[in-house]
Amino acid sequence: MEKYTVIIEETVSNAFEINAANAEDARKIAEDAYNDGLLVLEPGNLISKKMAVVSHCDEDAKWVDF
């Protein structure tokens, strides 16, 4: 039997209302809030998901949507 690593990647999104003086301030406020755990994407809206199976024999992984 061979050993494989399975990688699953999901892209999720969510919309948040931010009060700010301008777009750059809104981005900074949102980034800080995200890093502080105040803006959370889960469960969020699943945009896409993909999977790759990687062999431990140095083969290239092939990503597939599922």
Side-chain angles (χ1 to χ4, degrees), residues 6 21 25 31 33 48 51 57 61:
V6 176
D25 284 347
E31 183 178 343
S48 68
M51 179 185 300
C57 299

Side-chain angles (χ1 to χ4, degrees), residues 9-55:
E9 181 177 292
E10 294 179 330
T11 302
V12 296
S13 71
N14 206 345
F16 301 95
E17 299 267 338
I18 304 289
N19 293 320
N22 56 50
E24 180 58 28
D25 284 347
R27 188 205 57 78
K28 177 66 173 137
I29 291 167
E31 183 178 343
D32 290 345
Y34 178 84
N35 289 333
D36 291 341
L38 301 174
L39 298 181
V40 180
L41 297 178
E42 292 183 20
N45 302 307
L46 182 62
I47 302 299
S48 68
K49 59 184 179 180
K50 59 185 177 180
M51 179 185 300
V53 178
V54 181
S55 168

